[in-house]
Amino acid sequence: SPGFGNHEAPGELERQIAGGSTARRGRPARPATELRGRDAELAALHRLVEHERLVTVLGPGGVGKTRLAVELAARADEATALMLAPVSDPAAIPHALADALELRVVDGDVLGACALLLAPGPHVLLVDNCEHLLPGVREVVAVLLGRCPHLTVLATSREPLGVPVEQQLRIAPLPLVRPRGVDDLARSP
């Protein structure tokens, strides 16, 4: 279980020793507005994340993949958001993850240090905007899942990651109510 609920996370001392305080590290901010029109998708995503190690939310650009994933990750006890939109080099993914975890790695294996910090779990890692870095994301996610038995990866992408354990949730654009007046538009998600 990725820790949806209030309980003390095991391995707290180990995390503090490995990387300092774990308080709100790279935590996705809960959006200021309520999520509308995605109740069924949010429930399906929650069920998948509760039982699977890697779940990818798929859909065209602008459909709301990130918004849905952030909503779910914000509800987890321990979550980190790795936002890949500004990353252009696949080799920079481990460094971006270290930054998201507020982990300073001077020398050595950056991804390994991140895995040590995430391993005690439970933890949800949101990896957003994967499509432009698929081979690099695939490699990083495979390593993390192999080394972190209590980690759940929630990814967003226009295309599947292609990792064997990946479960997918495709979302479509929200429907638009044919407006007959201003009130009809206000009810449209």
Side-chain angles (χ1 to χ4, degrees):
S1 167
F4 291 96
N6 293 325
H7 65 278
E8 183 139 340
E12 186 66 28
L13 179 60
E14 291 88 346
R15 281 189 228 169
Q16 289 176 4
I17 292 169
S21 172
T22 61
R24 300 301 212 211
R25 194 179 40 241
R27 184 141 182 90
R30 185 162 220 143
T33 59
E34 88 177 84
L35 181 65
R36 298 182 74 190
R38 294 286 187 198
D39 292 342
E41 291 92 342
L42 185 60
L45 185 57
H46 189 271
R47 283 190 302 273
L48 281 170
V49 168
E50 281 288 319
H51 300 288
E52 304 296 338
R53 304 267 329 274
L54 171 60
V55 178
T56 305
V57 179
L58 298 165
V63 76
K65 300 178 296 289
T66 298
R67 179 65 174 86
L68 185 64
V70 165
E71 183 75 26
L72 185 121
R75 297 177 183 195
D77 289 338
E78 288 289 331
T80 299
L82 172 56
M83 307 311 256
L84 293 177
V87 178
S88 59
D89 180 3
I93 297 171
H95 298 279
L97 177 57
D99 286 346
L101 291 168
E102 295 180 3
L103 179 63
R104 187 168 172 235
V105 181
V106 178
D107 282 326
D109 180 11
V110 176
L111 184 56
C114 293
L116 281 174
L117 189 60
L118 292 169
H123 200 97
V124 173
L125 175 62
L126 166 57
V127 185
D128 184 53
N129 259 344
C130 299
E131 57 273 352
H132 67 292
L133 298 166
L134 281 175
V137 171
R138 187 179 306 122
E139 183 179 321
V140 166
V141 167
V143 167
L144 290 174
L145 290 176
R147 294 183 187 178
C148 305
H150 305 290
L151 178 67
T152 299
V153 176
L154 172 58
T156 68
S157 183
R158 294 179 188 182
E159 301 174 42
L161 301 186
V163 177
V165 297
E166 179 180 30
Q167 297 297 309
Q168 302 170 12
L169 177 67
R170 290 193 181 275
I171 63 171
L174 290 169
L176 180 61
V177 175
R178 288 193 183 254
R180 292 186 201 130
V182 175
D183 291 338
D184 288 339
L185 281 176
R187 286 192 299 270
S188 180

